[in-house]
Amino acid sequence: MPMDVQTPRKASGSATGRGRKRDRERTRQEILDVAFQEFAEKGLSGTNTDVIAARANITKRLVFYYFNTKEKLFTAVLEEAYAKMRDAERDLRLDELEPETAIRTLAEFTFDFDNDNPEFVRLVTIENIHRGRHLTKSLKARAMTRPIIAQIERVLARGEKAGVIRSGIDPVELHMTLSSLCFFSVANRHTFQPQFGYDMTSKRARRQRRTQISDLLWLYVRKDA
Amino acid sequence: MPMDVQTPRKASGSATGRGRKRDRERTRQEILDVAFQEFAEKGLSGTNTDVIAARANITKRLVFYYFNTKEKLFTAVLEEAYAKMRDAERDLRLDELEPETAIRTLAEFTFDFDNDNPEFVRLVTIENIHRGRHLTKSLKARAMTRPIIAQIERVLARGEKAGVIRSGIDPVELHMTLSSLCFFSVANRHTFQPQFGYDMTSKRARRQRRTQISDLLWLYVRKDA
DNA sequence: TTTTTAATTACCTTATTGGATAATTACTGG
DNA sequence: CCAGTAATTATCCAATAAGGTAATTAAAAA
């Protein structure tokens, strides 16, 4: 059921009345923003390019003018979304924290990010349904993950040296464990809730889960007494 | 790109030549089986009912004759898939195992189930993209989960009494933690691999992850020395 | 056998939707 | 201020696909 398709840009905010200033970057970005929402909401085949155009107050032709195909638009949306997350990760500055705090900060950050950005989680989920074929093709993917893995590596090394973290932990494995726990709490809430009566969106459940995951992650890496 | 749509049932296996015996249950089941594969592969909007019909060697009309709408067919597929998993869970017989073995068996079972049934994982993922609206409507969902939660509860109680498991563990929370870890390793492998260079499908990685999860789960519930 | 019921098919209809063609018009550099 | 470039629109199209109508035929009941 497509929503009502408005005519392009009549009274659009800052515009001059009929048609606004031509601005390549702005138009491109508006398409990306709307497409992000639409793809996250409806998936790849579920998304209608007409609707994207309408919501961005432009003609459909423009969408293809800038992105050529629906798939390429999806790829661009995906890349931008990942880039935002990796940027946020980079600002974490785990190196300045003592090991336990660093691990817990990482856990809480990841949990908060996923919970605050369910559209991002949905987008990643959708990309997995498509077997990651867009991300694989794009392949700036690998480079982007290096910083976070490197940060984790350094925390583990410091903690080991300080005698508070056990040895032999694979930073990628750690990251996967953490991602699993955080991602699931957002991605699978809709099937989990009706089955187990556990509403993961409530403030209380969310805080509890956040603590739980932080504890679990620390338990996983810390050196036993 | 729909695959070539064959004409209905000409040389179909056990048939008599032109058209086979009319069998309500068999036809229904064949539709369900094909639909399961198609939905798991292509999602709800990505699936074409023409293709389902062709692969089941029947006319499209029959699909609607038995299931009325595509959505209802999807719901039926989903219900059957869940039922199968819950059945397998029921056969676990955790009550006959000592606490640590029971926890590890549960962990390994869940891991194996998800890894052996990626189509199931995909189907659940797709249902989450649709915000669980089919499962919610069906609502035999809740009843089906009771057995596994009850089993976990009993294991925890026994372990507590025996002094090997700590108190205060919520069985649903435990189940969620385990599901997260296992589900992610299948559901998100396609975005994880190109980003982190970690191939979760290899025999070695799979065995390692399985052990890892079992250890982590036990670490999570066991009573500290 | 005949009648009835229900499984099955052939064919149709209408809405949707990626993407294409071609004209237009707003900026920009000279 | 004018010409060229590039952003933008209006319009079209062919393929797809969910679901419907009505006839047909296999099996069960009588």
Side-chain angles (χ1 to χ4, degrees):
Chain A
M1 310 88 201
M3 55 194 66
D4 53 292
V5 175
Q6 310 126 278
T7 51
R9 259 187 206 152
K10 277 286 118 115
S12 73
S14 57
T16 57
R18 51 134 187 24
R20 66 174 173 193
K21 221 178 312 182
R22 294 187 171 190
D23 183 337
R24 187 180 180 80
E25 271 322 299
R26 182 180 159 208
T27 302
R28 232 188 94 94
Q29 192 57 51
E30 279 181 3
I31 296 171
L32 275 176
D33 291 346
V34 172
F36 171 77
Q37 293 169 28
E38 286 293 319
F39 281 133
E41 184 59 37
K42 318 229 184 89
L44 188 50
S45 40
T47 289
N48 186 334
T49 51
D50 278 307
V51 173
I52 293 177
R55 285 194 51 195
N57 280 100
I58 51 170
T59 357
K60 181 168 58 168
R61 185 61 185 84
L62 260 196
V63 176
F64 291 94
Y65 177 71
Y66 283 109
F67 295 97
N68 299 306
T69 68
K70 198 189 185 185
E71 299 251 326
K72 281 181 187 157
L73 174 57
F74 183 83
T75 304
V77 164
L78 195 64
E79 275 172 359
E80 199 195 30
Y82 267 113
K84 274 181 190 162
M85 182 188 53
R86 298 306 173 205
D87 283 353
E89 279 177 352
R90 197 160 312 138
D91 291 343
L92 262 175
R93 301 247 151 258
L94 299 182
D95 294 314
E96 296 158 15
L97 305 170
E98 59 151 334
E100 180 172 351
T101 315
I103 293 292
R104 289 187 181 275
T105 300
L106 174 66
E108 286 156 17
F109 164 80
T110 306
F111 182 84
D112 289 340
F113 188 92
D114 287 355
N115 276 271
D116 291 340
N117 298 282
E119 319 81 16
F120 172 76
V121 170
R122 291 173 65 89
L123 203 66
V124 172
T125 300
I126 288 160
E127 173 63 354
N128 273 287
I129 287 298
H130 292 280
R131 300 222 153 79
R133 67 169 191 262
H134 309 93
L135 192 62
T136 306
K137 238 173 283 172
S138 125
L139 228 15
K140 35 184 117 169
R142 189 66 182 280
M144 286 199 297
T145 66
R146 246 164 239 158
I148 184 67
I149 294 298
Q151 277 197 73
I152 294 175
E153 250 163 4
R154 291 194 299 272
V155 171
L156 291 174
R158 278 195 297 126
E160 234 183 285
K161 196 175 289 179
V164 293
I165 288 180
R166 67 183 170 85
S167 68
I169 296 170
D170 179 355
V172 172
E173 195 103 24
L174 172 78
H175 187 265
M176 180 159 56
T177 295
L178 177 58
S179 289
S180 305
L181 295 166
C182 298
F183 199 91
F184 187 94
S185 76
V186 178
N188 285 53
R189 52 173 60 143
H190 297 104
T191 53
F192 202 85
Q193 191 194 342
Q195 291 191 291
F196 299 96
Y198 189 104
D199 179 13
M200 290 191 259
T201 60
S202 83
K203 264 254 140 26
R204 203 180 143 284
R206 178 173 160 163
R207 244 203 352 256
Q208 186 182 322
R209 192 72 192 141
R210 190 174 119 120
T211 306
Q212 195 88 197
I213 290 173
S214 171
D215 289 349
L216 187 56
L217 201 68
W218 176 242
L219 188 64
Y220 170 66
V221 299
R222 76 154 194 222
K223 196 165 188 171
D224 271 19
Chain B
M1 309 88 201
M3 55 195 66
D4 54 291
V5 175
Q6 311 125 276
T7 50
R9 266 191 200 146
K10 276 285 119 118
S12 73
S14 57
T16 58
R18 51 134 187 27
R20 67 175 173 194
K21 221 179 314 185
R22 295 187 171 192
D23 184 338
R24 186 180 179 82
E25 271 323 299
R26 182 181 158 207
T27 302
R28 233 189 92 95
Q29 191 58 50
E30 281 183 0
I31 296 171
L32 275 176
D33 291 346
V34 173
F36 171 77
Q37 293 170 28
E38 286 293 319
F39 281 132
E41 184 59 36
K42 318 230 186 89
L44 188 51
S45 40
T47 289
N48 185 336
T49 52
D50 278 306
V51 174
I52 293 177
R55 286 194 50 193
N57 280 101
I58 53 172
T59 3
K60 182 168 57 169
R61 186 62 186 82
L62 259 196
V63 176
F64 291 95
Y65 177 71
Y66 283 110
F67 295 96
N68 300 306
T69 67
K70 198 188 185 185
E71 299 251 326
K72 281 181 187 158
L73 174 57
F74 182 83
T75 304
V77 164
L78 195 65
E79 275 171 0
E80 200 194 32
Y82 267 114
K84 274 181 189 161
M85 182 189 51
R86 300 304 172 205
D87 283 354
E89 279 177 352
R90 199 161 308 139
D91 291 342
L92 263 175
R93 300 247 151 260
L94 298 182
D95 295 313
E96 295 157 16
L97 306 170
E98 59 152 334
E100 180 171 351
T101 315
I103 293 292
R104 289 186 182 276
T105 301
L106 174 66
E108 286 156 16
F109 163 81
T110 305
F111 183 85
D112 288 340
F113 188 91
D114 287 355
N115 277 271
D116 291 340
N117 297 282
E119 318 81 14
F120 172 77
V121 170
R122 291 173 64 88
L123 203 66
V124 172
T125 300
I126 288 160
E127 173 64 353
N128 273 288
I129 287 298
H130 293 280
R131 301 224 151 76
R133 65 168 191 261
H134 310 93
L135 192 63
T136 306
K137 240 175 279 173
S138 125
L139 227 15
K140 34 183 118 167
R142 190 67 182 279
M144 286 198 298
T145 66
R146 247 164 238 156
I148 185 66
I149 294 299
Q151 277 197 73
I152 294 175
E153 249 162 5
R154 290 195 298 273
V155 170
L156 291 174
R158 277 194 299 127
E160 232 183 288
K161 197 176 287 178
V164 293
I165 288 180
R166 68 184 169 83
S167 68
I169 297 171
D170 178 355
V172 171
E173 194 103 23
L174 172 78
H175 187 266
M176 180 159 58
T177 294
L178 177 58
S179 289
S180 305
L181 295 167
C182 298
F183 199 92
F184 187 94
S185 76
V186 178
N188 285 52
R189 50 174 61 143
H190 296 105
T191 53
F192 203 85
Q193 191 194 343
Q195 290 191 291
F196 299 97
Y198 188 104
D199 179 13
M200 291 191 259
T201 61
S202 84
K203 263 257 142 21
R204 202 182 142 285
R206 178 173 160 164
R207 243 201 355 256
Q208 186 181 322
R209 191 74 192 138
R210 191 175 116 120
T211 306
Q212 194 89 195
I213 290 173
S214 171
D215 289 349
L216 187 56
L217 202 67
W218 175 242
L219 188 63
Y220 170 65
V221 299
R222 77 151 194 226
K223 196 163 186 172
D224 271 18

